[in-house]
Amino acid sequence: MNQSRRHFLKFAGLTAVGLCAGASGVLASSGGGSPAKPNKETLHATQWAMVIDTRKLNTDEAIAPLAAACHALHNVPDVPTRQNVKWLWAASMEEAFPDFPNKYQSPEVEHRRVMLLCNHCENPPCVRVCPTQATYKRPDGIVTMDYHRCIGCRYCMAGCPFGARSFNFGEPREHLDLAKLNKEYPTRMRGVVEKCTFCVERLEVGKLPACVEASNGAIHFGDLSDENSPARKALRENYTIRRKPSLGTEPSVYYII
Ligand code: SF4
Ligand code: SF4
């Protein structure tokens, strides 16, 4: 890292615009230097997981409002090029599950659109390849980012086999409507990677992820270690698959087919 980059990170990155994902990070970088205080509302888990019902959430029109809610909440810039930043997006069945389709499956299943996001893998290669530990796995299984530590090498993007990470090639705030910024959540800077965080900042105050809340029951969320959690119940009662299971990353996002 050159001197100007180091200088910028040290003095610009630590100022009013906080850059850590999650409420703890927001608090830590919002000035005053006081550590985040325990919140009795915080939701806890050993391994958070999401179960998405593709029978209900199966069109671009159904998925778009969830992406809009996520991106508005997290100040995700809308960059009108291939350098776009995305935390939640729609893809075809074939893109989502390249090892799943066969020529005899039902056309209805074949033509479903699938909601994609970071899988919060139990065995995340993105974490293994990050040289600065800017991306790390929390004790509750959430794979998240410390933007202060990101040097923009993009090893994590190469390491993720799901295309779940985006790089800020330019200044992200140029592609945000500053009048509509969510002032409760930090914006990022040019040269860092970002992605879905399973809404850690909402879990910390006792709320479910925004996409889960907006899904009208099409997404189940909960702790895999709790057999009474909505996620375990959905897994018990439905046929589910995960993305690219042969890679061994153990995604924490499951899909009801
Ligand atoms: S989906 Fe990609 S970015 Fe998310 S935890 Fe897995 S390897 Fe990392
Ligand atoms: S869990 Fe939160 S951050 Fe992740 S896609 Fe859903 S709304 Fe976005």
Side-chain angles (χ1 to χ4, degrees):
M1 184 165 53
N2 64 36
Q3 281 303 317
S4 60
R5 169 78 167 148
R6 195 188 308 278
H7 186 81
F8 182 62
L9 281 172
K10 187 173 177 187
F11 294 104
L14 295 173
T15 52
V17 182
L19 292 169
C20 283
S24 306
V26 174
L27 289 173
S29 49
S30 62
S34 60
K37 298 195 172 47
N39 186 328
K40 64 178 170 39
E41 307 296 330
T42 300
L43 302 177
H44 299 281
T46 301
Q47 177 66 57
W48 287 115
M50 186 177 276
V51 184
I52 299 171
D53 193 337
T54 69
R55 297 167 303 188
K56 297 177 180 169
L57 208 49
N58 54 14
T59 62
D60 285 335
E61 292 71 29
I63 295 167
L66 277 57
C70 171
H71 289 183
L73 189 68
H74 299 110
N75 298 322
V76 176
D78 185 14
V79 186
T81 64
R82 284 171 61 85
Q83 297 179 352
N84 201 7
V85 176
K86 59 190 188 330
W87 287 25
L88 188 170
W89 69 104
S92 67
M93 280 296 264
E94 194 174 358
E95 288 169 307
F97 307 107
D99 32 15
F100 171 67
N102 65 63
K103 62 182 178 179
Y104 300 112
Q105 73 179 308
S106 107
E108 188 275 313
V109 171
E110 187 184 345
H111 293 123
R112 284 180 194 169
R113 297 288 285 170
V114 185
M115 176 187 129
L116 301 182
L117 69 170
C118 168
N119 291 289
H120 299 275
C121 303
E122 291 185 38
N123 182 23
C126 58
V127 170
R128 275 204 306 280
V129 298
C130 176
T132 66
Q133 298 177 336
T135 191
Y136 61 98
K137 191 174 154 192
R138 297 176 14 137
D140 59 6
I142 293 178
V143 176
T144 192
M145 287 285 303
D146 179 344
Y147 301 117
H148 292 110
R149 298 180 75 104
C150 180
I151 56 172
C153 68
R154 292 186 277 159
Y155 283 11
C156 62
M157 294 177 75
C160 172
F162 304 100
R165 294 173 165 263
S166 299
F167 184 63
N168 284 288
F169 285 95
E171 167 54 66
R173 294 176 203 106
E174 287 176 5
H175 299 283
L176 285 165
D177 183 343
L178 299 183
K180 292 183 180 163
L181 273 191
N182 173 13
K183 296 194 171 55
E184 303 291 312
Y185 200 84
T187 55
R188 274 70 69 191
M189 66 166 76
R190 179 180 187 167
V192 299
V193 171
E194 59 180 271
K195 68 171 194 70
C196 154
T197 64
F198 261 4
C199 286
V200 285
E201 82 284 5
R202 288 173 62 89
L203 298 175
E204 286 185 19
V205 294
K207 294 180 181 171
L208 290 173
C211 58
V212 176
E213 202 170 273
S215 74
N216 294 319
I219 307 178
H220 311 273
F221 190 78
D223 185 0
L224 284 183
S225 70
D226 175 5
E227 64 178 32
N228 296 315
S229 72
R232 282 287 296 279
K233 185 167 183 292
L235 291 175
R236 198 161 51 237
E237 295 176 357
N238 297 281
Y239 173 66
T240 55
I241 60 173
R242 291 186 288 180
R243 299 186 67 198
K244 303 183 180 180
S246 59
L247 299 180
T249 70
E250 301 286 343
S252 299
V253 176
Y254 295 75
Y255 293 88
I256 299 173
I257 299 298

